[in-house]
């Protein structure tokens, strides 16, 4: 379904897993606000960002959908999607125009390429078929866990940036060696400033981290959450070395590898040195 402005406004203000997890900083980011903002004001901002597709844009969307379907069919990949998918248009100011999903909707600032649709529609499939995640996430070194993010320390709880593409935060962990012993982490994205609505501004405030967990709780010492920076050589090796431009969470790593496996981009080849992982991801999806 090509959502019109009114439907898009409803989708943007839906009460879903994403909206329930929004931190104060997350609300400011969505509203592009320098000051704290409540839900009512946020909803008004989001409604105002909803747009209509033009007839020519709908034609472009149909072409990309056909190309995405052809790429998936050629790789014997079948997307298990809900009966209705909304393709919704919103202002490029939201997340600097980065495509994203919520529930069964894909939000876009303009008609995307087939590769982008393959990436985003995977997130919808993952959301509606959570049982597939464990086997997929294992391909990039993650295992199922159950960590309550409500146990974050006060230093982080107000600056968490929730990824709208996954409801699986706190449900997957990775173990890495630290000083000769294994340490378990849950991936998290936090913000280190205010978003100004620009692409550079969006990239500059993102801070992907690995939060130390013990049992099913975050480790907090004297009110401070124990964590380390995510971007490191040991982490990239552990997740297969591919997709380092978007390493925030295994959901994104799988989407990036699937996108490159089904629609190879020669310009992005340097970000995917592990060709075996690409083949494995493609074969795993073909067997789902």
């Amino acid at each position: 379904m090509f959502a019109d402005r009114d439907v898009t406004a409803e989708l943007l203000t839906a009460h879903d897993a994403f909206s329930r997890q929004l931190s104060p900083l997350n609300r400011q980011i969505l509203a592009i606000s320098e000051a704290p903002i409540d839900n009512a004001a946020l909803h008004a901002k989001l409604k105002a960002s909803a747009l209509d597709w033009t007839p020519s844009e709908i034609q472009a969307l149909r072409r990309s959908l056909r190309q995405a379907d052809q790429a998936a069919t050629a790789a014997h990949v079948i997307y298990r999607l809900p009966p209705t998918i909304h393709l919704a248009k919103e202002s490029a100011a939201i997340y600097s125009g980065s495509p994203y999903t919520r529930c069964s909707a894909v939000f876009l600032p303009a008609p995307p390429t087939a590769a982008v649709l393959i990436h985003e529609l995977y997130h919808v499939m993952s959301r509606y078929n959570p049982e597939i995640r464990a086997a997929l996430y294992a391909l990039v070194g993650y295992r199922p866990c159950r960590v309550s993010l409500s146990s974050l320390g006060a230093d982080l709880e107000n600056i968490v940036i929730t990824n709208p593409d996954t409801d699986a935060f706190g449900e997957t962990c990775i173990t890495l060696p630290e000083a000769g012993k294994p340490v378990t982490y849950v991936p998290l994205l936090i913000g280190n400033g205010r978003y100004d609505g620009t692409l550079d501004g969006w990239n500059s405030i993102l801070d992907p981290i690995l939060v130390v967990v013990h049992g099913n709780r975050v480790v907090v010492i004297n009110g401070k959450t124990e964590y380390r920076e995510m971007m490191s050589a040991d982490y990239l090796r552990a997740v297969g070395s591919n997709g380092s431009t978007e390493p925030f969470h295994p959901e994104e790593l799988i989407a990036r590898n699937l996108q490159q496996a089904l629609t190879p981009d020669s310009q992005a080849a340097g970000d995917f040195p592990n060709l075996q992982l690409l083949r494995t991801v493609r074969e795993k999806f073909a067997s789902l």
Side-chain angles (χ1 to χ4, degrees):
M1 300 282 292
F2 304 112
D4 62 19
R5 181 194 303 257
D6 292 337
V7 171
T8 298
E10 291 180 10
L11 294 168
L12 285 168
T13 54
H15 185 61
D16 57 8
F18 172 71
S19 67
R20 289 193 294 272
Q21 296 181 74
L22 289 177
S23 70
L25 176 59
N26 222 149
R27 288 196 295 271
Q28 288 180 243
I29 288 170
L30 281 170
I32 317 175
S33 172
E34 293 186 1
I37 189 167
D38 61 20
N39 283 328
L42 172 60
H43 282 190
K45 288 271 191 177
L46 291 175
K47 285 182 178 180
S49 75
L51 301 170
D52 286 315
W53 295 110
T54 66
S56 62
E57 287 175 330
I58 289 177
Q59 288 182 349
L61 285 165
R62 291 189 187 278
R63 284 195 298 271
S64 292
L65 284 166
R66 284 195 299 270
Q67 292 165 0
D69 182 56
Q70 290 166 358
T73 300
H76 306 289
V77 171
I78 297 175
Y79 274 67
R80 290 190 277 165
L81 296 168
T84 300
I85 303 289
H86 285 97
L87 299 183
K89 183 181 180 182
E90 71 169 340
S91 167
I94 306 297
Y95 293 138
S96 296
S98 299
Y100 67 95
T101 69
R102 284 176 59 186
C103 296
S104 61
V106 182
F107 295 93
L108 305 153
T113 63
V116 170
L117 284 174
I118 282 171
H119 181 123
E120 299 303 328
L121 289 174
Y122 158 66
H123 291 315
V124 178
M125 178 171 67
S126 171
R127 181 175 292 118
Y128 282 84
N129 300 274
E131 71 280 359
I132 69 175
R133 293 178 191 150
L136 292 172
Y137 290 3
L139 301 180
V140 289
Y142 276 84
R143 60 173 177 78
C145 64
R146 179 66 67 175
V147 177
S148 172
L149 294 185
S150 63
S151 60
L152 285 169
D155 57 331
L156 296 187
E157 61 183 6
N158 291 329
I159 58 172
V160 171
I161 298 178
T162 303
N163 184 347
D165 286 329
T166 181
D167 305 330
F169 276 84
E171 297 178 10
T172 188
C173 294
I174 191 168
T175 299
L176 301 173
E178 293 285 347
K181 65 178 183 178
V183 179
T184 298
Y185 301 94
V186 63
L188 197 65
L189 191 62
I190 59 174
N192 56 24
R194 298 291 178 260
Y195 173 49
D196 62 7
T198 67
L199 180 58
D200 287 343
W202 174 236
N203 290 333
S204 68
I205 69 167
L206 299 180
D207 192 3
I209 62 174
L210 294 170
V211 177
V212 180
V213 297
H214 182 72
N216 65 347
R217 292 185 63 82
V218 171
V219 175
V220 179
I221 299 176
N222 297 325
K224 297 286 187 179
T225 307
E226 289 288 297
Y227 67 90
R228 52 163 278 188
E229 294 299 315
M230 178 182 286
M231 291 301 292
S232 63
D234 65 328
Y235 178 74
L236 292 177
R237 284 194 301 270
V239 299
S241 302
N242 286 352
S244 61
T245 58
E246 197 171 2
F248 310 140
H249 188 278
E251 178 73 12
E252 298 297 348
L253 289 168
I254 292 298
R256 290 275 291 148
N257 278 281
L258 178 66
Q259 176 181 337
Q260 182 69 6
L262 269 56
T263 53
D265 180 355
S266 59
Q267 293 184 333
D271 195 31
F272 297 91
N274 189 340
L275 299 181
Q276 180 57 49
L277 178 56
L278 291 178
R279 288 191 290 269
T280 301
V281 168
R282 184 175 63 244
E283 291 166 1
K284 177 62 73 174
F285 271 89
S287 69
L288 290 176

